[in-house]
Amino acid sequence: MYQMQYTAHATGYDAQTWEFTVDVTLNGNHIRDSPFAGVGMSPATTEAAHTNARGDALIRGSAGMTHMFEVFARDAFDNAVTECVADWSAFELQLTLAGDPAPAPVVRGCTADPFARYEVEYRVTRAADFTLYTTFGGDAVSGSPHTITVGSSVARAAMSFISVTGEYREDIGSGLVPGAPAISGDFDTLGAGEVYTFFLHAFDEFNNRLTQNLCAGDATGPETVSCLGFAFRWCRLDRNLVAINAVTCHTNVREDGPSLNIEPAEGSGVYRVETAPGASGLVRSGGYRVDVTIVQADGTVAALSNSHFLLAVDPAV
């Protein structure tokens, strides 16, 4: 009697079980009942080299949002694994920003229907490029590391402001309080029909500059012009400039808004706003107060941190 043993393996199967055939020959001839058909095979245990992560959250995300991706377990022969491991801590996940650790993703569950699939989620509040390292049993899974670009959340009025320059000085603070280079309570003066330029600095609730392009092009309207949620209200003040209350827009104000051109300035979250020249711009002499508001994510309308600025338009020569 002969005792025989063999090691069977197959690659690339996405099945819970499959069958193969064993041929046994002696001197080139099949022994009785050979070949032996219907021998069952099933996947081996999870192996990092073929296990892989998938999902849009491995490419991009938004600050403050919880994002999920999935890890698909495969064995050493690239067959889909059908059983979840009992100890999820075998998966180690680490997000880093410029080499420093960020809040680590967490394995929230595993589904084996029919193949083992792990749900992983993460949440960060910084808008930046993160690196995600994923290992199983101390070895990197296929495709690791991933680079994830996290963009800003939506604009937040209390964190955004307007200024007379496109600059943003970090030594001012977070941008919550007006100050150089933010617009002051003094009047800027220009001639009727001249172009006036100011800048809108958009930040989200986590003090990230907005990374998405809010608006571009011509935004026209005699009273209110909007730019994907931002609104500009131009109040013409019918009083002597010396007597104007710089805080309140009086009831005897007439709406007299110019056409505006809005486009992204250099740097994320900065938008250049210009009044149109000539007859489409500021042509009526007098004092103007410009209020800037934004429709926030919850639908409420709120004023920017420095919500208004003042202009004095001289009569045309």
Side-chain angles (χ1 to χ4, degrees):
M1 180 181 67
Y2 296 91
Q3 182 177 11
M4 307 178 67
Q5 64 180 18
Y6 64 90
T7 300
H9 63 83
T11 60
Y13 276 85
D14 289 345
Q16 292 178 301
T17 61
W18 59 93
E19 294 181 347
F20 64 99
T21 300
V22 177
D23 293 326
V24 180
T25 63
L26 179 62
N27 296 325
N29 298 311
H30 282 279
I31 66 172
R32 188 171 60 183
D33 297 329
S34 178
F36 299 91
V39 179
M41 181 179 288
S42 58
T45 57
T46 301
E47 183 75 20
H50 294 288
T51 295
N52 60 85
R54 306 175 203 168
D56 287 343
L58 292 168
I59 303 172
R60 64 186 65 86
S62 296
M65 296 287 290
T66 298
H67 297 280
M68 191 189 79
F69 61 90
E70 295 177 313
V71 177
F72 293 80
R74 303 188 77 85
D75 67 15
F77 308 102
D78 197 26
N79 301 305
V81 174
T82 57
E83 295 183 0
C84 298
V85 297
D87 183 8
W88 294 349
S89 66
F91 285 98
E92 294 184 2
L93 302 108
Q94 181 62 65
L95 276 172
T96 64
L97 176 60
D100 295 326
V106 177
V107 179
R108 291 300 186 194
C110 180
T111 303
D113 184 22
F115 310 116
R117 184 179 75 250
Y118 299 84
E119 295 84 32
V120 182
E121 67 179 36
Y122 66 87
R123 179 183 182 272
V124 293
T125 57
R126 178 81 176 271
D129 287 337
F130 291 83
T131 302
L132 171 65
Y133 297 90
T134 306
T135 64
F136 177 78
D139 296 321
V141 304
S142 178
S144 179
H146 294 85
T147 298
I148 303 174
T149 299
V150 176
S152 66
S153 181
V154 297
R156 183 82 171 194
M159 309 293 284
S160 303
F161 62 96
I162 48 182
S163 75
V164 291
T165 76
E167 300 174 358
Y168 173 70
R169 283 177 24 204
E170 296 293 342
D171 60 327
I172 298 170
S174 65
L176 296 179
V177 181
I183 292 175
S184 70
D186 298 329
F187 283 91
D188 277 349
T189 302
L190 69 155
E194 291 182 356
V195 173
Y196 183 74
T197 301
F198 61 97
F199 294 85
L200 190 156
H201 299 255
F203 288 79
D204 68 11
E205 63 181 300
F206 307 107
N207 205 30
N208 298 305
R209 280 193 176 277
L210 252 62
T211 55
Q212 63 266 39
N213 182 7
L214 279 181
C215 53
D218 183 47
T220 59
E223 296 183 0
T224 301
V225 293
S226 62
C227 171
L228 294 186
F230 284 96
F232 306 83
R233 182 170 178 262
W234 299 75
C235 297
R236 184 172 181 272
L237 307 175
D238 289 338
R239 286 192 176 190
N240 187 296
L241 296 184
V242 176
I244 289 178
N245 184 326
V247 177
T248 305
C249 210
H250 297 286
T251 56
N252 62 344
V253 168
R254 297 197 305 269
E255 301 290 351
D256 193 15
S259 296
L260 298 178
N261 185 68
I262 305 170
E263 61 183 17
E266 184 176 352
S268 297
V270 184
Y271 300 88
R272 178 185 294 104
V273 185
E274 291 185 343
T275 61
S280 297
L282 291 168
V283 294
R284 300 186 66 180
S285 61
Y288 290 83
R289 168 177 162 158
V290 185
D291 295 299
V292 186
T293 60
I294 182 175
V295 179
Q296 301 186 112
D298 60 1
T300 59
V301 178
L304 269 61
S305 60
N306 58 340
S307 61
H308 70 274
F309 61 94
L310 304 172
L311 287 176
V313 179
D314 290 338
V317 178

